[in-house]
Every structure is written in C-alpha cells, then in structure tokens.
C-alpha cells in the first residue's frame, strides 16, 4: 500500500466530474489497490473522507471514516466505508451549518450548510449494493465527498466566504461572525 499525493485546489482534476466506475472493474486488482491506497492516504493526513479525484484518479469512488479524528474532535464515529458510484438524495430540506476543511485546501476552515439527512445508494468495494440513511456529520462528510466526485469543493457551497479562516486563527480567535 502507498500514501498517495493529494491534489490541491487549482489542479483541474478536482474540477472535472468523475465518470462512474464500471461495475466489472470493481473486483480488479488495480481498483482494489486504489481503494487500499486511498484508505491509507486518508488516515495518513487525518482526513475523514477522501475522493478518488483528490488522488488524481477521475473515478466515482470515495472512502470515509470518522473515528475520534484529531482534526474533527467530538464529531462522533463513522466506520470505514467505501462508496462506489454514490447517489444521494436529501430527506427533507432541513440544513445545518458547520465547519468543513478539505485535504485539497490545506489549513483552512469555512462554515458550510448541508442537508441534515440523506438517503445514500452506492456500491461497496465488493460490488454489493448499499442503501442507507446518513445523518448529521456523517451526512455532511458524504455530501462533501460526493461534491468532489461532481467537480465541486466546499468553497462552492459557502453562502458567506467571510467565515473562511485558517485553523490556527480559528483556535486563536474563534468564529469570525
Ligand atoms: Ni475535500
């Protein structure tokens, strides 16, 4: 397994909508290796999620895991999940704002509104169909990662860019609002 280089904002790979993973490719060794490498890369950089486009692979696959993450303390746990070709639909129109960061936009946080509840359908790394409801921070991470697969970053979802702050300044001065 290998720690992969993470594409940073400005790299065109982050702005191109990723094509679906052909179902027949899921069992291939190179696809399975990509998933393994994405997991170790996410953990290496203390991410809670990572989309394939962030490691220069334009494919609809994302990994996520929330387990007492030092970058997001107190946010609850989400077991390691692999989402291939995910589709999300909001359940209700209730949204909430919270801080987000992104490994492709280092050191920065901004307040982003997201749907509180989602229905998620996807395939897992074995090609098995997933169909579940995600809420709260779990739903937020999934919306962030699916945005990556569509060529969006969280900055595009911010109604008020004045909340942007460096992490060190957020700790020092608190929210800028
Ligand atoms: Ni991100």
């Amino acid at each position: 397994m290998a720690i992969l280089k993470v594409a940073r904002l400005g790299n065109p790979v982050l702005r191109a909508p990723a094509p679906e993973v052909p179902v027949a490719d899921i069992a291939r060794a190179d696809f399975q290796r990509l998933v393994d490498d994405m997991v170790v890369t996410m953990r290496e950089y203390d991410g809670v999620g990572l989309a394939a486009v962030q490691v220069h692979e334009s494919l609809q696959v994302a990994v996520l895991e929330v387990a007492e993450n030092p970058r997001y303390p107190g946010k609850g746990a989400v077991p390691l999940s692999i989402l291939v070709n995910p589709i999300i639909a909001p359940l209700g129109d209730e949204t909430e704002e919270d801080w987000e960061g992104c490994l492709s936009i280092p050191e920065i946080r901004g307040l982003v509104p997201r749907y509180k509840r989602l229905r998620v359908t996807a395939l897992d790394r074995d090609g098995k169909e997933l169909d579940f409801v995600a809420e709260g921070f779990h739903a937020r991470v999934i919306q962030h990662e699916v945005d990556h697969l569509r060529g969006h970053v969280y900055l595009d979802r911010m109604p008020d860019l004045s909340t942007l702050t460096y992490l060190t300044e957020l700790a020092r001065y608190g929210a800028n609002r």
Side-chain angles (χ1 to χ4, degrees), residues 18-118:
E20 286 190 2
V21 179
V23 174
D25 286 359
I26 294 174
R28 288 172 55 121
D30 53 356
F31 182 79
Q32 292 294 319
R33 189 176 325 118
L34 170 65
V35 170
D36 287 337
D37 290 348
M38 286 173 64
V39 171
V40 297
T41 302
M42 170 177 68
R43 288 174 175 164
E44 171 70 16
Y45 296 111
D46 294 323
V48 293
L50 186 71
V53 298
Q54 293 183 274
V55 291
H56 310 85
E57 288 286 346
S58 196
L59 282 173
Q60 287 185 29
V61 55
V63 301
L64 52 132
E65 182 179 49
V66 182
E68 282 309 300
N69 188 301
R71 288 174 74 237
Y72 297 89
K75 287 297 185 185
V78 175
L80 177 64
S81 327
I82 316 298
L83 301 179
V84 178
N85 303 338
I87 293 172
I88 56 177
L91 292 174
D93 47 20
E94 222 183 333
T95 61
E96 63 189 345
E97 267 192 336
D98 204 352
W99 296 100
E100 287 188 28
C102 181
L103 296 180
S104 296
I105 309 168
E107 309 299 329
I108 287 179
R109 291 291 181 279
L111 275 177
V112 186
R114 297 287 190 184
Y115 290 107
K116 286 176 88 164
R117 297 183 80 229
L118 299 176

